[in-house]
Amino acid sequence: MKKNCAAMLAAVLAGASVLFGFVSCGNKDGKSGSSEKVLYLYNWTYYTPDEVLAQFEKEFDCKVKVDSYASNEEMYAKIRGGAKGYDIVVPSQDFCSIMIKQGMFREIDQSKLTNRNHINPVVLQKATYDPDMKYCVPYYFGAAGISVNKTKVSGDYERSWGIFADKRFAGHATMMDDMREVMGDALVHLGYDVNSLDDAELKAARDLIENEWKPNLVKFDAEGFGKSFASGDFWLCQGYAEVIYGEVSEEKQDETIDFFIPEEGGPGYLDSMCILKTAPHYELANEFINFIHRPEVYAKFLDAFRFPCFVNMDAEQFMTTKPMYEASQMNNCVLKEDVGEGLDKFNELWQEIRFGD
């Protein structure tokens, strides 16, 4: 009987040691129930190529689980609401600023960020909320621009935001249903700051849109303008290049699309990789962020979307596709900042623009 009890006790202790050993591995090394390391990435939809994820998994002997969101607001609400388990999120600049202030991020391990020298200093200068990458490592800098259907318009046209006052495009033009983008363009065209909260400057921007641009527009459209451009209904669109190029067949793109960001600049956005305060796999998260900025890896990301090489300048030599536009066109773009309660000023004037006569 004692022998059997001893055997049973040994079995229990053995089981306990296995149990506690597993829990320890899970907490320390980020291992899941299947005894493999798992990184949990919460990112924009279709924003990380499968090829890049597969390479990271192979090299670091782990799995990457991806959950996606369609807006900063959706991501923020979920994290702020208490969602646990995510390691990395990829917010845009205004939400980076908000989440830093609210203590939602853990500092990046700078000793692991050995690829920081590949990141464009111009981008970091624009990221005034975290220029030293204490919490946020740039992932992609982008900006909306202007697309002209070259098969519909003959002769020269203004290569600035003022093109939206050109009567040749009346009834065939659209701008985004996005107040910070449209009003930001108007502010820049008038020589003001994208983030201006000056009442006179904002009203001048409203008047420009109302009196000179809006009469030529079919509508404000944030989603369907790519299809309408491809069909020939829209000849002039404000929006992101990837939306236009995604709808026009590859063999017709060169003859049809003239996409440019005006030299005067405009509103830009910067999505950054950030480690959440509650990240269960901190070490692996740092490895992933640094891995993304290997030039040959970052080039795969750019190739997948035909993005220009602006954030990681050294990746250009490894690219195999021609980008939709030159990265230098974004030099004069300014990030849309979190303007706090000042957003009410934009909202009020935007309602006048959208729903006024």
Side-chain angles (χ1 to χ4, degrees):
M1 185 67 177
K2 288 183 178 179
K3 184 176 180 180
N4 289 339
C5 287
M8 289 173 62
L9 179 59
V12 170
L13 291 175
S17 65
V18 170
L19 174 61
F20 289 123
F22 171 76
V23 172
S24 175
C25 286
N27 290 335
K28 181 179 179 181
D29 302 321
K31 290 188 177 182
S32 69
S34 60
S35 78
E36 63 185 354
K37 295 184 292 184
V38 181
L39 179 73
Y40 290 92
L41 174 63
Y42 194 26
N43 200 356
W44 296 85
T45 305
Y46 306 123
Y47 209 25
T48 310
D50 290 341
E51 180 185 10
V52 171
L53 296 178
Q55 182 179 342
F56 181 79
E57 289 178 329
K58 182 178 181 180
E59 184 169 334
F60 288 86
D61 189 25
C62 68
K63 289 292 183 183
V64 180
K65 302 291 186 181
V66 182
D67 200 359
S68 61
Y69 52 87
S71 70
N72 283 293
E73 290 78 9
E74 178 187 345
M75 174 276 300
Y76 176 77
K78 189 170 184 178
I79 300 300
R80 190 68 174 169
K84 305 291 185 183
Y86 294 123
D87 294 302
I88 297 174
V89 291
V90 192
S92 301
Q93 68 288 335
D94 47 349
F95 277 80
C96 280
S97 177
I98 292 169
M99 295 171 82
I100 288 173
K101 292 174 184 176
Q102 294 181 348
M104 297 175 71
F105 297 144
R106 187 169 176 181
E107 290 188 21
I108 303 294
D109 183 347
Q110 299 297 323
S111 69
K112 295 291 181 66
L113 192 56
T114 58
N115 290 319
R116 65 179 301 135
N117 59 302
H118 301 301
I119 298 175
N120 189 350
V122 173
V123 173
L124 296 178
Q125 290 169 9
K126 294 178 186 292
T128 55
Y129 52 88
D130 189 19
D132 298 322
M133 298 186 289
K134 186 176 181 180
Y135 298 102
C136 310
V137 177
Y139 184 65
Y140 182 68
F141 187 105
I146 296 168
S147 294
V148 176
N149 188 323
K150 295 187 291 185
T151 67
K152 301 294 185 179
V153 182
S154 59
D156 295 331
Y157 39 81
E158 188 174 348
R159 301 184 72 81
S160 78
W161 297 113
I163 192 175
F164 286 95
D166 191 331
K167 295 301 181 183
R168 286 179 293 174
F169 297 100
H172 297 283
T174 183
M175 299 189 80
M176 297 172 70
D177 192 4
D178 185 317
M179 67 180 181
R180 292 297 303 275
E181 287 289 339
V182 177
M183 292 186 67
D185 295 339
L187 285 166
V188 164
H189 190 61
L190 292 169
Y192 305 136
D193 192 322
V194 163
N195 300 296
S196 175
L197 293 177
D198 181 271
D199 291 334
E201 294 176 358
L202 289 170
K203 289 177 181 178
R206 175 203 60 190
D207 292 344
L208 173 62
I209 299 166
E210 279 274 16
N211 300 328
E212 298 186 33
W213 296 357
K214 187 177 175 181
N216 286 340
L217 303 181
V218 177
K219 59 180 177 177
F220 292 98
D221 179 8
E223 298 178 355
F225 63 90
K227 292 183 183 297
S228 296
F229 183 95
S231 70
D233 291 335
F234 291 167
W235 305 350
L236 173 66
C237 296
Q238 175 221 23
Y240 298 110
E242 53 266 32
V243 178
I244 296 291
Y245 277 85
E247 297 294 343
V248 178
S249 60
E250 189 171 350
E251 62 272 13
K252 293 184 178 181
Q253 289 175 357
D254 288 341
E255 67 184 59
T256 305
I257 305 171
D258 179 16
F259 177 88
F260 59 93
I261 298 173
E263 189 174 350
E264 59 196 330
Y269 68 88
L270 176 59
D271 298 327
S272 296
M273 296 176 286
C274 308
I275 302 177
L276 288 166
K277 196 82 168 183
T278 56
H281 313 124
Y282 176 71
E283 295 299 327
L284 195 57
N286 277 285
E287 295 286 7
F288 182 83
I289 291 171
N290 191 56
F291 170 82
I292 289 294
H293 277 296
R294 288 185 198 169
E296 63 273 22
V297 172
Y298 195 79
K300 293 179 180 178
F301 161 66
L302 298 176
D303 281 339
F305 302 102
R306 291 186 59 194
F307 283 155
C309 188
F310 191 63
V311 168
N312 186 319
M313 300 298 288
D314 295 323
E316 187 171 18
Q317 61 185 307
F318 298 101
M319 293 180 66
T320 60
T321 62
K322 179 183 177 182
M324 295 174 287
Y325 57 97
E326 293 297 322
S328 59
Q329 293 188 27
M330 292 186 285
N331 283 335
N332 294 327
C333 291
V334 176
L335 292 178
K336 293 171 288 186
E337 298 175 354
D338 169 32
V339 294
E341 294 181 359
L343 194 63
D344 290 339
K345 294 185 177 183
F346 280 90
N347 271 319
E348 182 179 347
L349 294 173
W350 183 244
Q351 295 305 310
E352 296 176 11
I353 292 168
R354 286 289 280 110
F355 303 110
D357 294 333

